[in-house]
Amino acid sequence: MAQFNSIEEILEKYIPKEELQKVHRGLYGFDIQDPSHYLKFDPKVKGLADQLKLEVKSFRFPALAEELRKPRIVRIGAIQNSIVEPTDAPIRAQRDSLIKKISSYIAVAAECGVNALCMQETWNMPFAFCTREKHPWTQFAESAEDGPTTQAMRQLAARYNMVIVSPILERDESHGDTVWNTAVVISNTGKVIGKTRKNHIPRVGDFNESTYYMESELGHPVFDTQFGRIAVNICYGRHHPQNWLMYGVNGAEIVFNPSATVDSLSEAFWPIEARNAAIANNYFSVAINRVGTENFAHEFTSGDGRSAHHDFGHFYGSSYVTAPNGARSPGLSRVSDGLLVVEADLNLCRQVKDQWGFRMTQRLDLYAESLAKAVKPDFQPQIIAEK
């Protein structure tokens, strides 16, 4: 099936303008054709983006003016990208070409005034975990603290006064050279604040990731930065509401969800999960997906009776941001590299908490008690049948 660019383009093509406003309000929570919802950038941005063939989209989420708190305006950036070199090119060439590419995109983000930025899952390599092959793919793994990718991102973070979340394949040399799916959080000062790891590992279709790494033991850390309290829910963790919940419990205001997922598997889920999380937990969620189709030299199967194949499927991009009140931005393209820049007032997090009372009515004590029972070997579900 031929790929299409975006749902927004299809809606605009076939729905009359007056009706389209109603559709947009229902789908996004705003009339997204209203120009007041978009940011204006220096013309230099368009020139840079055109040169790089980079789609740049923007959106603005307002909050109510308060008497006792100043606005806490933050510009959030999300980058989605395709690989540069073919997957059979030398490892260093693949990695370095992506570092060069993303560095140029980060420069555009800086021109857009981005304060906190995140890339897609394992952005500096192909998503090769479908192959089940350890080599050469584990050669992409590097130190989270001082590997070449982190060193490059530290320089850019300091240069642009930008918090950068860099999801990579980590090699933990201090613990037996184990491999982890990790996001490194780098301060706008250029220092590594810390790291977090993928809490939930898929075992579905071609997602054979448990062949390479296991579930995180680092919990649900939230990183206190100059531009808000940030957390990272890596990819498959978005399917687990409890995962999203804990970042909210720990005080996150922005939760990035760097992902790698394909159209044949999850596209129906994609617009829903991160949006639901933002609503339920009163924070901004940032869903980021890679884009393009990556082909591998050796065929692999999916364990579902289909013929062996050389590619994972189409990574459909469509990155977007949702506000705590459930309004969401339009998505980036399904087929091309993109930068999404969203201006958010973090005061909206508390304002929505006050309006809806989700945290006040959350009943964590009730669920803590119930879950403590559910994990015991002698647990019996609370089912009541007619006598």
Side-chain angles (χ1 to χ4, degrees):
M1 183 178 70
Q3 296 297 335
F4 59 94
N5 187 55
S6 71
I7 291 174
E8 287 84 5
E9 282 190 5
I10 294 174
L11 294 176
E12 289 173 10
K13 183 176 181 180
Y14 292 105
I15 300 178
K17 185 175 181 180
E18 59 275 12
E19 297 300 321
L20 187 60
Q21 289 180 338
K22 299 173 186 176
V23 171
H24 284 161
R25 288 194 185 98
L27 289 178
Y28 301 100
F30 285 102
D31 172 13
I32 64 171
Q33 293 181 314
D34 182 344
S36 69
H37 295 312
Y38 297 91
L39 305 172
K40 294 182 179 180
F41 301 128
D42 188 290
K44 180 181 179 181
V45 170
K46 186 178 186 305
L48 289 171
D50 289 348
Q51 184 179 353
L52 296 168
K53 297 182 180 179
L54 175 70
E55 177 188 37
V56 177
K57 281 189 175 182
S58 71
F59 206 69
R60 176 186 285 116
F61 291 112
L64 297 174
E66 299 186 20
E67 294 184 37
L68 302 180
R69 288 198 304 170
K70 295 180 180 180
R72 299 175 61 216
I73 304 298
V74 172
R75 287 197 177 181
I76 303 166
I79 291 176
Q80 65 178 44
N81 65 275
S82 56
I83 59 175
V84 179
E85 297 289 334
T87 59
D88 58 357
I91 297 298
R92 188 184 302 275
Q94 292 187 61
R95 183 197 67 199
D96 290 355
S97 66
L98 281 165
I99 290 176
K100 181 179 179 181
K101 182 187 209 181
I102 296 306
S103 295
S104 67
Y105 292 177
I106 292 174
V108 177
E111 291 290 337
C112 296
V114 167
N115 304 119
L117 175 83
C118 184
M119 284 78 80
Q120 66 204 25
E121 183 180 18
T122 60
W123 66 268
N124 62 347
M125 63 177 289
F127 205 74
F129 311 118
C130 52
T131 67
R132 302 184 187 90
E133 299 167 342
K134 295 297 182 70
H135 294 284
W137 313 119
T138 55
Q139 295 178 52
F140 280 101
E142 62 181 75
S143 167
E145 289 73 25
D146 56 12
T149 302
T150 296
Q151 290 183 27
M153 294 303 103
R154 288 182 62 188
Q155 293 178 10
L156 296 177
R159 179 184 306 167
Y160 298 127
N161 190 35
M162 184 188 301
V163 173
I164 296 179
V165 178
S166 177
I168 64 168
L169 192 65
E170 178 192 1
R171 173 77 68 184
D172 187 354
E173 295 179 355
S174 297
H175 296 88
D177 283 334
T178 47
V179 174
W180 301 92
N181 188 317
T182 298
V184 185
V185 181
I186 303 168
S187 169
N188 55 308
T189 65
K191 297 180 180 179
V192 174
I193 303 176
K195 64 187 177 185
T196 187
R197 292 169 176 159
K198 192 169 185 173
N199 279 328
H200 298 273
I201 308 302
R203 295 161 176 84
V204 56
D206 290 329
F207 290 83
N208 300 301
E209 296 171 54
S210 59
T211 302
Y212 300 87
Y213 43 77
M214 295 300 289
E215 288 80 5
S216 171
E217 298 173 348
L218 300 181
H220 299 83
V222 172
F223 302 90
D224 194 5
T225 78
Q226 184 176 325
F227 304 114
R229 295 190 299 274
I230 290 172
V232 192
N233 180 4
I234 302 175
C235 198
Y236 197 72
R238 74 182 179 278
H239 303 310
H240 296 269
Q242 302 90 338
N243 207 38
W244 291 105
L245 167 70
M246 287 308 304
Y247 296 115
V249 169
N250 285 334
E253 296 170 311
I254 303 168
V255 180
F256 291 105
N257 177 225
S259 300
T261 188
V262 292
D263 54 1
S264 60
L265 181 69
S266 65
E267 198 160 10
F269 295 1
W270 182 252
I272 301 168
E273 290 172 309
R275 191 176 190 180
N276 283 352
I279 296 167
N281 298 292
N282 308 131
Y283 50 53
F284 290 89
S285 65
V286 187
I288 310 167
N289 187 24
R290 71 172 52 210
V291 68
T293 302
E294 301 170 0
N295 290 283
F296 299 93
H298 302 137
E299 288 184 323
F300 52 90
T301 62
S302 305
D304 59 1
R306 287 191 300 148
S307 300
H309 40 281
H310 289 275
D311 68 85
F312 214 135
H314 177 69
F315 295 102
Y316 54 83
S318 306
S319 304
Y320 69 97
V321 177
T322 302
N325 60 7
R328 59 152 286 185
S329 74
L332 289 175
S333 168
R334 296 179 71 263
V335 296
S336 61
D337 289 14
L339 166 67
L340 177 60
V341 180
V342 169
E343 185 173 277
D345 185 344
L346 299 185
N347 284 350
L348 187 59
C349 297
R350 182 185 292 178
Q351 290 174 8
V352 173
K353 288 178 184 177
D354 290 345
Q355 179 183 7
W356 282 96
F358 288 160
R359 297 299 294 273
M360 180 177 65
T361 60
Q362 198 168 34
R363 297 298 307 277
L364 292 179
D365 56 340
L366 171 65
Y367 296 104
E369 180 182 353
S370 298
L371 290 170
K373 295 176 182 177
V375 298
K376 292 181 178 179
D378 60 352
F379 171 70
Q380 292 295 320
Q382 187 179 6
I383 299 173
I384 301 174
E386 180 182 359
K387 295 182 179 179

